[in-house]
Amino acid sequence: MFARWRAAGLIVPGLLTLALLPVLIGLGNWQWHRKAWKEALISRIETRRTAEPISYPAVLAEYVKTGDVEYTHMRVTGRFDYSRERHLYHPTDQSQGWDVYTLLIPDGGLPPLFVNRGWVPETLKDPSKRAEGQVAGPVTVTGLVRLAQPKPWFAPDNDYAGNRWYWPDLEGMQWGPEGPPTALQFNAEKRQAYAPFSLDADAAPPNPGGWPRGGTTEINLPNNHLQYVVTWYGLALTLIAVFAVFARQRLAAVEDDGLQSKKE
């Protein structure tokens, strides 16, 4: 058989096929495991998103313990410091607009945290144009916890002085127009402790006057892994079929040459 394969020139193609098959099958297996992981992640996020909100201290404790608090449904009571309002650029299909991040000072001496109170159009970016929504006194906010994220590759730099933010730099939001201090200016002992996460407010109950409009959280976790599984396993089967046809043709050609030689 080895002699026939060598005569048909199938040794190298056969070795290449044997080398590629485990790679393709391995990629298919990997995507299958990724599919299971993604389905579990989506299920966990959906469970957290729709669960009854838990307290701010409970979320802080879980963050210290595991760090796994993303999309946890949380409730917190405190007072907004409207002088610490930050505007995150958030255009929609209908108009230009901004997500309004406002510092909340919780009851009980807990760390302040920024709350994404919701979206406003460009025409209502100025807080004086939505004064009804600037609620004085204690407020209770429910929403989804969002962990701090690194700057996206293509995001513009935040404009601290102009209060125009293009990615939610929670640490930078703490400092305001002057921006984060340099190492020489920074005194860690005087820095107020802030929450290591923000809170995206729920759509309900709406803010007085309807603005900012809560419920801005976008959860987009595409699960295309089954498609990738089919692709990689399909390529493996295709490789086997192509090699089988190729080998059959080459072996048949060798047999025909052999028969022709005997006739001559």
Side-chain angles (χ1 to χ4, degrees):
M1 179 177 177
F2 180 80
R4 291 180 62 206
W5 276 51
R6 185 173 59 182
L10 293 176
I11 300 300
V12 172
L15 291 175
L16 289 175
T17 300
L18 289 175
L20 285 174
L21 269 179
V23 174
L24 296 174
I25 294 172
L27 288 170
N29 292 341
W30 177 62
Q31 287 296 337
W32 181 261
H33 291 302
R34 291 283 294 177
K35 173 179 174 291
W37 168 81
K38 181 63 72 64
E39 289 173 347
L41 177 62
I42 292 173
S43 176
R44 185 166 69 251
I45 289 175
E46 183 63 17
T47 298
R48 290 181 178 184
R49 185 184 68 82
T50 57
E52 285 296 313
I54 64 176
S55 69
Y56 182 29
V59 175
L60 283 173
E62 183 64 26
Y63 179 84
V64 171
K65 182 179 178 181
T66 67
D68 183 17
V69 295
E70 183 82 320
Y71 297 115
T72 298
H73 204 194
M74 186 183 93
R75 175 181 289 117
V76 59
T77 299
R79 297 171 183 266
F80 281 117
D81 179 358
Y82 295 107
S83 68
R84 308 292 296 279
E85 184 174 287
R86 311 288 185 246
H87 303 136
L88 178 72
Y89 186 57
H90 185 176
T92 68
D93 294 338
Q94 288 74 36
S95 65
Q96 303 295 310
W98 305 80
D99 286 343
V100 176
Y101 281 73
T102 308
L103 191 69
L104 181 74
I105 311 300
D107 295 341
L110 295 168
L113 77 157
F114 275 97
V115 176
N116 176 4
R117 301 182 63 218
W119 183 87
V120 296
E122 178 70 35
T123 55
L124 296 178
K125 182 183 177 185
D126 185 347
S128 65
K129 297 181 179 180
R130 45 181 166 83
E132 190 177 351
Q134 308 294 85
V135 181
V139 295
T140 298
V141 183
T142 59
L144 301 181
V145 173
R146 300 306 311 276
L147 293 172
Q149 301 293 329
K151 179 183 177 183
W153 278 100
F154 300 106
D157 291 334
N158 288 324
D159 179 3
Y160 298 99
N163 193 12
R164 289 184 290 270
W165 302 77
Y166 300 99
W167 62 283
D169 175 13
L170 296 182
E171 184 174 355
M173 286 180 176
Q174 300 171 17
W175 302 105
E178 70 276 12
T182 65
L184 294 177
Q185 296 170 330
F186 179 52
N187 184 341
E189 294 179 355
K190 293 182 180 180
R191 181 183 180 188
Q192 187 177 12
Y194 288 77
F197 47 77
S198 61
L199 186 70
D200 284 358
D202 290 340
N207 289 305
W211 304 102
R213 189 173 62 203
T216 63
T217 309
E218 297 178 358
I219 302 177
N220 183 19
L221 295 174
N223 186 8
N224 299 319
H225 296 290
L226 180 59
Q227 174 184 331
Y228 301 147
V229 168
V230 172
T231 298
W232 291 119
Y233 286 163
L235 287 174
L237 291 174
T238 300
L239 178 63
I240 293 172
V242 168
F243 178 77
V245 172
F246 173 74
R248 182 178 180 181
Q249 291 175 344
R250 294 300 298 268
L251 289 170
V254 168
E255 290 178 0
D256 289 343
D257 289 344
L259 292 174
Q260 186 67 31
S261 298
K262 288 181 181 180
K263 290 179 180 179
E264 293 176 355

mmCIF file of all heavy atoms in Angstrom, residues 62-105:
data_model
loop_
_atom_site.group_PDB
_atom_site.id
_atom_site.type_symbol
_atom_site.label_atom_id
_atom_site.label_comp_id
_atom_site.label_asym_id
_atom_site.label_seq_id
_atom_site.Cartn_x
_atom_site.Cartn_y
_atom_site.Cartn_z
ATOM 1 N N GLU A 62 -19.185 41.843 47.938
ATOM 2 C CA GLU A 62 -18.949 40.858 46.887
ATOM 3 C C GLU A 62 -17.791 41.289 45.989
ATOM 4 O O GLU A 62 -16.994 40.460 45.541
ATOM 5 C CB GLU A 62 -20.213 40.655 46.056
ATOM 6 C CG GLU A 62 -20.104 39.591 44.976
ATOM 7 C CD GLU A 62 -19.866 38.205 45.550
ATOM 8 O OE1 GLU A 62 -20.248 37.946 46.709
ATOM 9 O OE2 GLU A 62 -19.294 37.356 44.818
ATOM 10 N N TYR A 63 -17.681 42.590 45.747
ATOM 11 C CA TYR A 63 -16.573 43.086 44.931
ATOM 12 C C TYR A 63 -15.235 42.816 45.622
ATOM 13 O O TYR A 63 -14.273 42.380 44.974
ATOM 14 C CB TYR A 63 -16.724 44.585 44.680
ATOM 15 C CG TYR A 63 -15.587 45.162 43.869
ATOM 16 C CD1 TYR A 63 -15.592 45.088 42.483
ATOM 17 C CD2 TYR A 63 -14.490 45.751 44.491
ATOM 18 C CE1 TYR A 63 -14.536 45.593 41.736
ATOM 19 C CE2 TYR A 63 -13.428 46.256 43.753
ATOM 20 C CZ TYR A 63 -13.458 46.174 42.373
ATOM 21 O OH TYR A 63 -12.395 46.667 41.649
ATOM 22 N N VAL A 64 -15.170 43.058 46.913
ATOM 23 C CA VAL A 64 -13.935 42.790 47.660
ATOM 24 C C VAL A 64 -13.616 41.299 47.645
ATOM 25 O O VAL A 64 -12.458 40.897 47.532
ATOM 26 C CB VAL A 64 -14.069 43.298 49.109
ATOM 27 C CG1 VAL A 64 -12.889 42.845 49.959
ATOM 28 C CG2 VAL A 64 -14.176 44.823 49.130
ATOM 29 N N LYS A 65 -14.654 40.482 47.703
ATOM 30 C CA LYS A 65 -14.464 39.036 47.787
ATOM 31 C C LYS A 65 -14.072 38.426 46.453
ATOM 32 O O LYS A 65 -13.114 37.628 46.374
ATOM 33 C CB LYS A 65 -15.749 38.384 48.302
ATOM 34 C CG LYS A 65 -15.663 36.878 48.472
ATOM 35 C CD LYS A 65 -16.982 36.326 49.000
ATOM 36 C CE LYS A 65 -16.944 34.810 49.132
ATOM 37 N NZ LYS A 65 -18.239 34.273 49.618
ATOM 38 N N THR A 66 -14.801 38.780 45.380
ATOM 39 C CA THR A 66 -14.587 38.106 44.094
ATOM 40 C C THR A 66 -14.334 39.060 42.930
ATOM 41 O O THR A 66 -13.787 38.653 41.908
ATOM 42 C CB THR A 66 -15.807 37.242 43.732
ATOM 43 O OG1 THR A 66 -16.939 38.102 43.480
ATOM 44 C CG2 THR A 66 -16.149 36.274 44.850
ATOM 45 N N GLY A 67 -14.770 40.302 43.070
ATOM 46 C CA GLY A 67 -14.676 41.244 41.956
ATOM 47 C C GLY A 67 -15.731 41.021 40.890
ATOM 48 O O GLY A 67 -15.813 41.767 39.914
ATOM 49 N N ASP A 68 -16.567 40.005 41.040
ATOM 50 C CA ASP A 68 -17.547 39.626 40.024
ATOM 51 C C ASP A 68 -18.908 40.229 40.368
ATOM 52 O O ASP A 68 -19.776 39.565 40.944
ATOM 53 C CB ASP A 68 -17.640 38.102 39.945
ATOM 54 C CG ASP A 68 -18.589 37.645 38.846
ATOM 55 O OD1 ASP A 68 -18.907 38.463 37.971
ATOM 56 O OD2 ASP A 68 -18.999 36.462 38.875
ATOM 57 N N VAL A 69 -19.101 41.505 39.999
ATOM 58 C CA VAL A 69 -20.363 42.181 40.297
ATOM 59 C C VAL A 69 -20.966 42.837 39.056
ATOM 60 O O VAL A 69 -21.973 43.528 39.144
ATOM 61 C CB VAL A 69 -20.174 43.242 41.407
ATOM 62 C CG1 VAL A 69 -19.783 42.585 42.724
ATOM 63 C CG2 VAL A 69 -19.140 44.288 40.993
ATOM 64 N N GLU A 70 -20.366 42.636 37.891
ATOM 65 C CA GLU A 70 -20.860 43.263 36.668
ATOM 66 C C GLU A 70 -22.317 42.879 36.421
ATOM 67 O O GLU A 70 -22.692 41.710 36.502
ATOM 68 C CB GLU A 70 -19.999 42.833 35.484
ATOM 69 C CG GLU A 70 -20.384 43.483 34.165
ATOM 70 C CD GLU A 70 -19.798 44.882 33.992
ATOM 71 O OE1 GLU A 70 -19.776 45.640 34.982
ATOM 72 O OE2 GLU A 70 -19.361 45.205 32.871
ATOM 73 N N TYR A 71 -23.154 43.877 36.141
ATOM 74 C CA TYR A 71 -24.581 43.745 35.840
ATOM 75 C C TYR A 71 -25.403 43.291 37.040
ATOM 76 O O TYR A 71 -26.568 42.903 36.878
ATOM 77 C CB TYR A 71 -24.815 42.793 34.662
ATOM 78 C CG TYR A 71 -24.209 43.264 33.369
ATOM 79 C CD1 TYR A 71 -23.175 42.546 32.762
ATOM 80 C CD2 TYR A 71 -24.642 44.433 32.745
ATOM 81 C CE1 TYR A 71 -22.603 42.983 31.570
ATOM 82 C CE2 TYR A 71 -24.072 44.874 31.566
ATOM 83 C CZ TYR A 71 -23.057 44.143 30.987
ATOM 84 O OH TYR A 71 -22.493 44.576 29.816
ATOM 85 N N THR A 72 -24.853 43.350 38.239
ATOM 86 C CA THR A 72 -25.647 43.057 39.427
ATOM 87 C C THR A 72 -26.700 44.147 39.612
ATOM 88 O O THR A 72 -26.410 45.333 39.479
ATOM 89 C CB THR A 72 -24.752 42.984 40.679
ATOM 90 O OG1 THR A 72 -23.810 41.917 40.532
ATOM 91 C CG2 THR A 72 -25.582 42.741 41.930
ATOM 92 N N HIS A 73 -27.917 43.746 39.918
ATOM 93 C CA HIS A 73 -28.996 44.700 40.160
ATOM 94 C C HIS A 73 -28.879 45.215 41.595
ATOM 95 O O HIS A 73 -28.935 44.437 42.540
ATOM 96 C CB HIS A 73 -30.348 44.010 39.940
ATOM 97 C CG HIS A 73 -31.449 44.960 39.613
ATOM 98 N ND1 HIS A 73 -32.775 44.596 39.645
ATOM 99 C CD2 HIS A 73 -31.438 46.269 39.238
ATOM 100 C CE1 HIS A 73 -33.527 45.618 39.295
ATOM 101 N NE2 HIS A 73 -32.743 46.645 39.049
ATOM 102 N N MET A 74 -28.711 46.521 41.747
ATOM 103 C CA MET A 74 -28.367 47.105 43.048
ATOM 104 C C MET A 74 -29.297 48.260 43.381
ATOM 105 O O MET A 74 -29.802 48.949 42.484
ATOM 106 C CB MET A 74 -26.916 47.601 43.026
ATOM 107 C CG MET A 74 -26.387 48.095 44.356
ATOM 108 S SD MET A 74 -24.696 48.736 44.200
ATOM 109 C CE MET A 74 -25.028 50.478 43.907
ATOM 110 N N ARG A 75 -29.509 48.469 44.677
ATOM 111 C CA ARG A 75 -30.274 49.610 45.163
ATOM 112 C C ARG A 75 -29.404 50.407 46.138
ATOM 113 O O ARG A 75 -28.694 49.829 46.963
ATOM 114 C CB ARG A 75 -31.554 49.161 45.857
ATOM 115 C CG ARG A 75 -32.335 50.308 46.497
ATOM 116 C CD ARG A 75 -33.589 49.826 47.197
ATOM 117 N NE ARG A 75 -34.610 49.393 46.237
ATOM 118 C CZ ARG A 75 -35.072 48.159 46.150
ATOM 119 N NH1 ARG A 75 -34.591 47.214 46.964
ATOM 120 N NH2 ARG A 75 -35.994 47.841 45.265
ATOM 121 N N VAL A 76 -29.460 51.732 46.031
ATOM 122 C CA VAL A 76 -28.682 52.581 46.925
ATOM 123 C C VAL A 76 -29.471 53.853 47.193
ATOM 124 O O VAL A 76 -30.184 54.360 46.326
ATOM 125 C CB VAL A 76 -27.288 52.912 46.311
ATOM 126 C CG1 VAL A 76 -27.435 53.611 44.971
ATOM 127 C CG2 VAL A 76 -26.449 53.743 47.266
ATOM 128 N N THR A 77 -29.342 54.375 48.414
ATOM 129 C CA THR A 77 -30.012 55.613 48.822
ATOM 130 C C THR A 77 -28.964 56.647 49.199
ATOM 131 O O THR A 77 -27.972 56.328 49.865
ATOM 132 C CB THR A 77 -30.960 55.366 50.005
ATOM 133 O OG1 THR A 77 -31.961 54.427 49.624
ATOM 134 C CG2 THR A 77 -31.638 56.658 50.446
ATOM 135 N N GLY A 78 -29.197 57.874 48.769
ATOM 136 C CA GLY A 78 -28.259 58.951 49.092
ATOM 137 C C GLY A 78 -28.720 60.260 48.484
ATOM 138 O O GLY A 78 -29.894 60.421 48.123
ATOM 139 N N ARG A 79 -27.785 61.170 48.350
ATOM 140 C CA ARG A 79 -28.072 62.481 47.766
ATOM 141 C C ARG A 79 -27.130 62.733 46.598
ATOM 142 O O ARG A 79 -25.930 62.467 46.699
ATOM 143 C CB ARG A 79 -27.891 63.589 48.811
ATOM 144 C CG ARG A 79 -28.860 63.493 49.988
ATOM 145 C CD ARG A 79 -28.492 64.477 51.081
ATOM 146 N NE ARG A 79 -29.365 64.346 52.244
ATOM 147 C CZ ARG A 79 -30.466 65.068 52.443
ATOM 148 N NH1 ARG A 79 -30.787 66.009 51.548
ATOM 149 N NH2 ARG A 79 -31.217 64.889 53.507
ATOM 150 N N PHE A 80 -27.681 63.267 45.521
ATOM 151 C CA PHE A 80 -26.862 63.589 44.364
ATOM 152 C C PHE A 80 -26.116 64.904 44.582
ATOM 153 O O PHE A 80 -26.676 65.871 45.095
ATOM 154 C CB PHE A 80 -27.718 63.707 43.098
ATOM 155 C CG PHE A 80 -28.100 62.384 42.492
ATOM 156 C CD1 PHE A 80 -29.432 61.994 42.405
ATOM 157 C CD2 PHE A 80 -27.124 61.523 42.012
ATOM 158 C CE1 PHE A 80 -29.776 60.792 41.836
ATOM 159 C CE2 PHE A 80 -27.458 60.308 41.436
ATOM 160 C CZ PHE A 80 -28.787 59.939 41.349
ATOM 161 N N ASP A 81 -24.853 64.901 44.171
ATOM 162 C CA ASP A 81 -24.053 66.127 44.132
ATOM 163 C C ASP A 81 -24.065 66.596 42.684
ATOM 164 O O ASP A 81 -23.263 66.151 41.861
ATOM 165 C CB ASP A 81 -22.627 65.838 44.612
ATOM 166 C CG ASP A 81 -21.739 67.073 44.567
ATOM 167 O OD1 ASP A 81 -22.226 68.145 44.116
ATOM 168 O OD2 ASP A 81 -20.568 66.973 44.967
ATOM 169 N N TYR A 82 -25.000 67.490 42.355
ATOM 170 C CA TYR A 82 -25.193 67.888 40.964
ATOM 171 C C TYR A 82 -24.050 68.746 40.431
ATOM 172 O O TYR A 82 -23.943 68.947 39.217
ATOM 173 C CB TYR A 82 -26.527 68.612 40.801
ATOM 174 C CG TYR A 82 -27.706 67.714 41.084
ATOM 175 C CD1 TYR A 82 -28.458 67.859 42.246
ATOM 176 C CD2 TYR A 82 -28.055 66.699 40.198
ATOM 177 C CE1 TYR A 82 -29.528 67.022 42.514
ATOM 178 C CE2 TYR A 82 -29.121 65.849 40.459
ATOM 179 C CZ TYR A 82 -29.856 66.017 41.625
ATOM 180 O OH TYR A 82 -30.907 65.173 41.893
ATOM 181 N N SER A 83 -23.196 69.221 41.331
ATOM 182 C CA SER A 83 -22.007 69.933 40.858
ATOM 183 C C SER A 83 -20.997 68.969 40.254
ATOM 184 O O SER A 83 -20.048 69.397 39.593
ATOM 185 C CB SER A 83 -21.347 70.709 42.010
ATOM 186 O OG SER A 83 -20.779 69.808 42.957
ATOM 187 N N ARG A 84 -21.211 67.664 40.464
ATOM 188 C CA ARG A 84 -20.299 66.638 39.951
ATOM 189 C C ARG A 84 -21.002 65.843 38.850
ATOM 190 O O ARG A 84 -21.017 64.626 38.860
ATOM 191 C CB ARG A 84 -19.855 65.701 41.081
ATOM 192 C CG ARG A 84 -19.296 66.402 42.313
ATOM 193 C CD ARG A 84 -17.967 67.083 42.030
ATOM 194 N NE ARG A 84 -16.949 66.122 41.686
ATOM 195 C CZ ARG A 84 -16.262 65.407 42.579
ATOM 196 N NH1 ARG A 84 -16.504 65.545 43.861
ATOM 197 N NH2 ARG A 84 -15.330 64.561 42.178
ATOM 198 N N GLU A 85 -21.602 66.573 37.920
ATOM 199 C CA GLU A 85 -22.278 65.937 36.793
ATOM 200 C C GLU A 85 -21.318 65.836 35.619
ATOM 201 O O GLU A 85 -20.663 66.802 35.260
ATOM 202 C CB GLU A 85 -23.518 66.743 36.394
ATOM 203 C CG GLU A 85 -24.339 66.092 35.286
ATOM 204 C CD GLU A 85 -25.637 66.836 35.007
ATOM 205 O OE1 GLU A 85 -26.557 66.729 35.849
ATOM 206 O OE2 GLU A 85 -25.713 67.534 33.969
ATOM 207 N N ARG A 86 -21.250 64.646 35.023
ATOM 208 C CA ARG A 86 -20.371 64.401 33.883
ATOM 209 C C ARG A 86 -21.219 63.947 32.697
ATOM 210 O O ARG A 86 -22.211 63.230 32.871
ATOM 211 C CB ARG A 86 -19.321 63.333 34.218
ATOM 212 C CG ARG A 86 -18.584 63.576 35.534
ATOM 213 C CD ARG A 86 -17.622 64.734 35.421
ATOM 214 N NE ARG A 86 -16.846 64.887 36.643
ATOM 215 C CZ ARG A 86 -16.933 65.933 37.450
ATOM 216 N NH1 ARG A 86 -17.757 66.935 37.175
ATOM 217 N NH2 ARG A 86 -16.175 65.992 38.531
ATOM 218 N N HIS A 87 -20.805 64.331 31.492
ATOM 219 C CA HIS A 87 -21.586 64.038 30.295
ATOM 220 C C HIS A 87 -20.806 63.115 29.367
ATOM 221 O O HIS A 87 -19.750 63.487 28.860
ATOM 222 C CB HIS A 87 -21.939 65.342 29.567
ATOM 223 C CG HIS A 87 -22.676 66.305 30.429
ATOM 224 N ND1 HIS A 87 -22.393 67.650 30.471
ATOM 225 C CD2 HIS A 87 -23.678 66.103 31.321
ATOM 226 C CE1 HIS A 87 -23.198 68.254 31.320
ATOM 227 N NE2 HIS A 87 -23.983 67.337 31.862
ATOM 228 N N LEU A 88 -21.335 61.916 29.170
ATOM 229 C CA LEU A 88 -20.713 60.903 28.312
ATOM 230 C C LEU A 88 -21.417 60.893 26.960
ATOM 231 O O LEU A 88 -22.630 60.694 26.885
ATOM 232 C CB LEU A 88 -20.801 59.523 28.971
ATOM 233 C CG LEU A 88 -20.220 58.356 28.159
ATOM 234 C CD1 LEU A 88 -18.696 58.438 28.131
ATOM 235 C CD2 LEU A 88 -20.667 57.016 28.733
ATOM 236 N N TYR A 89 -20.655 61.089 25.900
ATOM 237 C CA TYR A 89 -21.223 61.178 24.560
ATOM 238 C C TYR A 89 -21.916 59.882 24.182
ATOM 239 O O TYR A 89 -21.339 58.802 24.257
ATOM 240 C CB TYR A 89 -20.118 61.488 23.559
ATOM 241 C CG TYR A 89 -20.581 61.746 22.156
ATOM 242 C CD1 TYR A 89 -21.503 62.754 21.882
ATOM 243 C CD2 TYR A 89 -20.088 61.001 21.091
ATOM 244 C CE1 TYR A 89 -21.931 63.000 20.588
ATOM 245 C CE2 TYR A 89 -20.503 61.245 19.787
ATOM 246 C CZ TYR A 89 -21.431 62.242 19.546
ATOM 247 O OH TYR A 89 -21.846 62.490 18.263
ATOM 248 N N HIS A 90 -23.189 59.988 23.767
ATOM 249 C CA HIS A 90 -23.983 58.803 23.434
ATOM 250 C C HIS A 90 -24.969 59.169 22.319
ATOM 251 O O HIS A 90 -26.144 59.438 22.578
ATOM 252 C CB HIS A 90 -24.735 58.302 24.667
ATOM 253 C CG HIS A 90 -25.484 57.028 24.437
ATOM 254 N ND1 HIS A 90 -26.156 56.373 25.443
ATOM 255 C CD2 HIS A 90 -25.676 56.277 23.319
ATOM 256 C CE1 HIS A 90 -26.736 55.287 24.954
ATOM 257 N NE2 HIS A 90 -26.468 55.221 23.671
ATOM 258 N N PRO A 91 -24.493 59.188 21.066
ATOM 259 C CA PRO A 91 -25.403 59.481 19.952
ATOM 260 C C PRO A 91 -26.343 58.316 19.703
ATOM 261 O O PRO A 91 -26.019 57.163 19.975
ATOM 262 C CB PRO A 91 -24.452 59.711 18.783
ATOM 263 C CG PRO A 91 -23.249 58.874 19.116
ATOM 264 C CD PRO A 91 -23.113 58.926 20.617
ATOM 265 N N THR A 92 -27.531 58.631 19.186
ATOM 266 C CA THR A 92 -28.493 57.596 18.802
ATOM 267 C C THR A 92 -28.839 57.781 17.329
ATOM 268 O O THR A 92 -28.370 58.712 16.671
ATOM 269 C CB THR A 92 -29.776 57.702 19.648
ATOM 270 O OG1 THR A 92 -30.471 58.907 19.297
ATOM 271 C CG2 THR A 92 -29.449 57.720 21.139
ATOM 272 N N ASP A 93 -29.681 56.883 16.828
ATOM 273 C CA ASP A 93 -30.101 57.000 15.429
ATOM 274 C C ASP A 93 -30.934 58.254 15.198
ATOM 275 O O ASP A 93 -30.996 58.767 14.080
ATOM 276 C CB ASP A 93 -30.926 55.776 15.021
ATOM 277 C CG ASP A 93 -30.102 54.499 15.018
ATOM 278 O OD1 ASP A 93 -28.862 54.610 14.905
ATOM 279 O OD2 ASP A 93 -30.689 53.411 15.151
ATOM 280 N N GLN A 94 -31.576 58.757 16.258
ATOM 281 C CA GLN A 94 -32.462 59.900 16.116
ATOM 282 C C GLN A 94 -31.748 61.243 16.316
ATOM 283 O O GLN A 94 -32.037 62.217 15.631
ATOM 284 C CB GLN A 94 -33.637 59.814 17.109
ATOM 285 C CG GLN A 94 -34.658 58.749 16.771
ATOM 286 C CD GLN A 94 -34.156 57.340 17.058
ATOM 287 O OE1 GLN A 94 -33.433 57.132 18.036
ATOM 288 N NE2 GLN A 94 -34.528 56.388 16.221
ATOM 289 N N SER A 95 -30.799 61.287 17.268
ATOM 290 C CA SER A 95 -30.177 62.580 17.562
ATOM 291 C C SER A 95 -28.888 62.388 18.341
ATOM 292 O O SER A 95 -28.593 61.303 18.846
ATOM 293 C CB SER A 95 -31.141 63.451 18.386
ATOM 294 O OG SER A 95 -31.362 62.868 19.661
ATOM 295 N N GLN A 96 -28.146 63.476 18.440
ATOM 296 C CA GLN A 96 -26.967 63.502 19.294
ATOM 297 C C GLN A 96 -27.424 63.574 20.750
ATOM 298 O O GLN A 96 -28.477 64.148 21.044
ATOM 299 C CB GLN A 96 -26.086 64.710 18.966
ATOM 300 C CG GLN A 96 -25.641 64.786 17.520
ATOM 301 C CD GLN A 96 -24.729 63.615 17.164
ATOM 302 O OE1 GLN A 96 -23.773 63.335 17.879
ATOM 303 N NE2 GLN A 96 -25.021 62.947 16.064
ATOM 304 N N GLY A 97 -26.648 63.009 21.644
ATOM 305 C CA GLY A 97 -27.057 63.049 23.039
ATOM 306 C C GLY A 97 -25.945 62.630 23.972
ATOM 307 O O GLY A 97 -24.821 62.326 23.540
ATOM 308 N N TRP A 98 -26.295 62.609 25.261
ATOM 309 C CA TRP A 98 -25.306 62.367 26.308
ATOM 310 C C TRP A 98 -25.912 61.537 27.426
ATOM 311 O O TRP A 98 -27.085 61.702 27.765
ATOM 312 C CB TRP A 98 -24.805 63.696 26.886
ATOM 313 C CG TRP A 98 -24.253 64.627 25.863
ATOM 314 C CD1 TRP A 98 -24.974 65.443 25.016
ATOM 315 C CD2 TRP A 98 -22.881 64.825 25.541
ATOM 316 N NE1 TRP A 98 -24.124 66.149 24.198
ATOM 317 C CE2 TRP A 98 -22.833 65.788 24.494
ATOM 318 C CE3 TRP A 98 -21.682 64.299 26.026
ATOM 319 C CZ2 TRP A 98 -21.643 66.215 23.935
ATOM 320 C CZ3 TRP A 98 -20.488 64.725 25.474
ATOM 321 C CH2 TRP A 98 -20.472 65.677 24.437
ATOM 322 N N ASP A 99 -25.108 60.646 27.997
ATOM 323 C CA ASP A 99 -25.473 59.990 29.245
ATOM 324 C C ASP A 99 -25.000 60.872 30.394
ATOM 325 O O ASP A 99 -23.859 61.355 30.384
ATOM 326 C CB ASP A 99 -24.823 58.607 29.363
ATOM 327 C CG ASP A 99 -25.472 57.582 28.453
ATOM 328 O OD1 ASP A 99 -26.595 57.838 27.980
ATOM 329 O OD2 ASP A 99 -24.856 56.528 28.214
ATOM 330 N N VAL A 100 -25.870 61.070 31.362
ATOM 331 C CA VAL A 100 -25.578 61.972 32.474
ATOM 332 C C VAL A 100 -25.100 61.159 33.676
ATOM 333 O O VAL A 100 -25.881 60.410 34.279
ATOM 334 C CB VAL A 100 -26.823 62.802 32.845
ATOM 335 C CG1 VAL A 100 -26.539 63.671 34.064
ATOM 336 C CG2 VAL A 100 -27.261 63.656 31.665
ATOM 337 N N TYR A 101 -23.817 61.297 34.011
ATOM 338 C CA TYR A 101 -23.248 60.658 35.195
ATOM 339 C C TYR A 101 -23.211 61.689 36.321
ATOM 340 O O TYR A 101 -22.664 62.778 36.151
ATOM 341 C CB TYR A 101 -21.829 60.161 34.916
ATOM 342 C CG TYR A 101 -21.748 58.858 34.161
ATOM 343 C CD1 TYR A 101 -22.061 58.796 32.809
ATOM 344 C CD2 TYR A 101 -21.348 57.680 34.802
ATOM 345 C CE1 TYR A 101 -21.984 57.604 32.103
ATOM 346 C CE2 TYR A 101 -21.270 56.483 34.098
ATOM 347 C CZ TYR A 101 -21.589 56.454 32.755
ATOM 348 O OH TYR A 101 -21.511 55.270 32.072
ATOM 349 N N THR A 102 -23.794 61.341 37.463
ATOM 350 C CA THR A 102 -23.836 62.255 38.600
ATOM 351 C C THR A 102 -23.337 61.530 39.836
ATOM 352 O O THR A 102 -23.673 60.356 40.061
ATOM 353 C CB THR A 102 -25.272 62.761 38.839
ATOM 354 O OG1 THR A 102 -25.794 63.287 37.620
ATOM 355 C CG2 THR A 102 -25.279 63.858 39.889
ATOM 356 N N LEU A 103 -22.548 62.219 40.637
ATOM 357 C CA LEU A 103 -22.003 61.606 41.852
ATOM 358 C C LEU A 103 -23.096 61.496 42.908
ATOM 359 O O LEU A 103 -23.792 62.472 43.203
ATOM 360 C CB LEU A 103 -20.845 62.434 42.386
ATOM 361 C CG LEU A 103 -20.031 61.760 43.501
ATOM 362 C CD1 LEU A 103 -19.242 60.587 42.941
ATOM 363 C CD2 LEU A 103 -19.081 62.764 44.160
ATOM 364 N N LEU A 104 -23.252 60.303 43.454
ATOM 365 C CA LEU A 104 -24.209 60.058 44.530
ATOM 366 C C LEU A 104 -23.443 59.873 45.833
ATOM 367 O O LEU A 104 -22.504 59.067 45.902
ATOM 368 C CB LEU A 104 -25.041 58.808 44.237
ATOM 369 C CG LEU A 104 -26.099 58.458 45.288
ATOM 370 C CD1 LEU A 104 -27.275 59.421 45.191
ATOM 371 C CD2 LEU A 104 -26.589 57.020 45.115
ATOM 372 N N ILE A 105 -23.846 60.631 46.859
ATOM 373 C CA ILE A 105 -23.259 60.485 48.195
ATOM 374 C C ILE A 105 -24.194 59.602 49.012
ATOM 375 O O ILE A 105 -25.258 60.048 49.451
ATOM 376 C CB ILE A 105 -23.082 61.852 48.879
ATOM 377 C CG1 ILE A 105 -22.403 62.851 47.937
ATOM 378 C CG2 ILE A 105 -22.286 61.693 50.170
ATOM 379 C CD1 ILE A 105 -21.030 62.449 47.468
#
